[in-house]
Amino acid sequence: MPEDSPAKKRVEELRELIWSHRKRYYVDNDPVISDSEYDALERELLDLEEAHPEWVTVDSPTRRVGAAPIAFLPTLRHARPMLSLDNTYSLEELREWEERLRRQLGDRAPARLSFSCEPKIDGVSLSVVYERGLLVRAVTRGDGFEGEEVTAGVRTIRSLLFRLPRPIEYLEVRGEVHLPLEEFSRINRQREERGESVFANPRNAAAGAIRLLDPRLTAERRLDLFVWQVAEIRGETMPASHSDCLDLARGLGLKVNRHHRRAVGLEEVERYCREMQEKRDSLDYEVDGCVIKVDALELQQLAGQTARAPRWAVAYKFPARQATTKVLAIEVNVGRTGAVTPTALLEPVPLGGVTISRCTLHNEEELRRKDVNLGDIVLIERGGDVIPKIVKVTLKADPPPERPFRWPEDCPVCGSKLAKEAEEVISRCPNVSCPARLRESLLHFASRRAMDIEGLGEALVDQLLARKMVADFADLYHLERGALAAMDRMADKSAANLLEQIGQSRDRDLSRVIHALGIRFVGEKTADLLADAFPDVEDLMEATEEDLQRVQEIGPRVAAAIRQFFQESRNRDLIRRLREAGVRMPHVPPPRVGGAFAGKTFVLTGTLPGLTREEAARIITSRGGKVASSVSRKTSYVVAGEEAGAKLAKARSLEIPILDEQDLRNLAEKETR
Ligand code: IVH
């Protein structure tokens, strides 16, 4: 088809249209067509591109999640360092900052300085580079000098343009990747349902999402980006002030926070800070303060910077959100390991957009130290994290409660005497069959990262325990369809589904089974190491502490816990019963059986010319290899760079194969194909 055919023209027209609607929707918050009309445009473009793959361009709006998963995130150096900010915690400190700044500027400082005032978005900072108007790379801040290349993930951000409206020779903008609060709650709800750990705050969730190796997964978390700086521009003149830079970025269709304001003189800055602090809870993203920047770029240059932060900018951090409320009750919960933790149930109080009605007190010692009891009025505080803490009691209950809370001596669930290990602050219920422990253990056993038994959630486990249908993990494999179907909210179909799921879990690999057992200190990673070292569970059961410690990364504390677990006849019996129930515990070696990396241990030494240590490590681990820090007979390869010393010598004496960077790359290359 000729280049100027109507279809080709339509493709171009559609791209322009889609970009402009995306901008109206995601950047301006002002859509002019319905979602379904928009979807129809994307569909039409996708269809045309499918029919004419030769017309697909990297900047087509359909290429948002186009990239395939990558093996690791390469490290890139920033053209100029991405600095951090100094913090101030009061308006007083902010004034002191301005005085220092004035001294620095000397007689160049006007009577009233102009500032750019912006919300400080609690996210992850990012540099985004456009060349000839095309998005070419995005790099995280990292240590300020070099960061990780996250271009594929960043392309999933819906408000971000792949192509600027004009082909500016070179443009670097910097900004904050963040998760809108609603999206953050959605992700955490989903993780809870799947039995995964929840994120403490939106920043952690955003940082995790942007670094995922599979852009399709990143796209599932709807990240957003606010641009807060134009770092460099070539081919056009750099505006004279920071505010003008932000206007330039906004004019190019990049998303700049709309609460940005220019302020003349410090009084206006202070007013801005007060106003933002009042607004913070009405925003749909987390803001932890304001950033105040000298507006004139010339004065910025004059003020200069320290190694860590510019002198021309400062953060004004908001205080943690606080509220007072009453303690209605103190509840103690028994976890999977028997740990007893107190939780205060509070009179519900709104705090930064969420209603708080409970608050953990961590352990007995903290409860005593803070002297919290029923009826007390407490001051609670929430930083950027969702979980609040009790700062202190502000008013003791008067009169004191008739029946004050006392730390229990016995497990509130099974009545066993609570025990406390020597240096520990945590009391534990020592009874492994305690129903509370059993409940949490069963939930852990069934969770996604352990045996992955879908459908075996809290409601069901509670019923199974109440009806005494299970007393340990092995009983799950003897459940009968009829009995299951008779339970609340279960029908024949759901019972059959659950049995199907339980049946499938019989084939889970050994490392998952080890993790599922819930041995103290043995998480997923340790379980992997153990399964590699003891591919037959019988060997693991017989392993002495010494044997266990021979496994890389397993120390005396973990070895002792594992030994103790398998010494208990009850646990040995459990393994035997699991086996009898058909749980096979096969050991599936790390990915790519027989590959050059699978199951091999690498030691890195010296400086590699073109890879940082982290990059080299990622090349190895992402292909199923392990990286160890010291050379021993177990080492498969030593990767040596410049100035490799003792480790290289030891590798030679043990006749361990030695690779250079190119050898490593060649091995990896073969593996990728
Ligand atoms: S300016 C040299 N502006 O806060 C300029 N930073 O605590 C340095 N941040 O690393 C940054 N919102 O990730 C700037 N409007 C804003 C910001 C902002 C959030 C982050 C940024 C920075 C961190 C420092």
Side-chain angles (χ1 to χ4, degrees), residues 193-301:
E193 278 161 21
R194 292 178 180 169
E196 296 170 355
S197 60
V198 295
F199 292 111
N201 56 50
R203 179 176 9 93
N204 292 357
I210 199 71
R211 299 184 64 257
L212 288 168
L213 298 176
D214 184 348
R216 278 167 301 196
L217 296 180
T218 309
E220 282 176 16
R221 314 215 188 138
R222 295 175 164 246
L223 292 167
D224 205 351
L225 175 78
F226 282 127
V227 168
W228 43 245
Q229 191 184 27
V230 173
E232 193 177 343
I233 187 163
R234 283 182 231 148
E236 284 188 17
T237 1
M238 183 81 153
S241 75
H242 180 77
S243 301
D244 291 343
C245 285
L246 293 184
D247 286 345
L248 170 93
R250 187 180 281 139
L252 289 170
L254 295 166
K255 191 162 176 175
V256 174
N257 188 284
R258 64 191 178 86
H259 296 287
H260 151 246
R261 193 197 301 163
R262 212 173 91 113
V264 184
L266 206 63
E267 299 78 55
E268 271 188 43
V269 171
E270 290 177 18
R271 195 171 327 128
Y272 176 86
C273 292
R274 283 196 202 96
E275 281 175 24
M276 275 317 293
Q277 196 164 325
E278 266 169 36
K279 269 192 210 137
R280 77 190 285 210
D281 289 340
S282 63
L283 302 173
D284 54 11
Y285 41 85
E286 182 74 18
V287 167
D288 60 346
C290 301
V291 183
I292 313 301
K293 305 170 185 173
V294 170
D295 203 31
L297 297 194
E298 202 192 343
L299 292 181
Q300 287 189 358
Q301 251 193 336

Side-chain angles (χ1 to χ4, degrees), residues 83-85 118-121 125 141 176 228 291 293 310 312:
L83 299 176
S84 186
L85 288 174
E118 301 157 27
K120 184 170 183 311
I121 315 293
S125 39
R141 174 173 182 273
E176 204 78 359
W228 43 245
V291 183
K293 305 170 185 173
W312 47 265

Side-chain angles (χ1 to χ4, degrees), residues 34-54:
S34 70
D35 289 2
S36 60
E37 283 169 299
Y38 173 82
D39 290 343
L41 293 176
E42 271 204 356
R43 188 71 257 160
E44 189 186 345
L45 178 57
L46 268 173
D47 288 347
L48 282 168
E49 287 184 342
E50 233 159 67
H52 302 278
E54 70 279 12

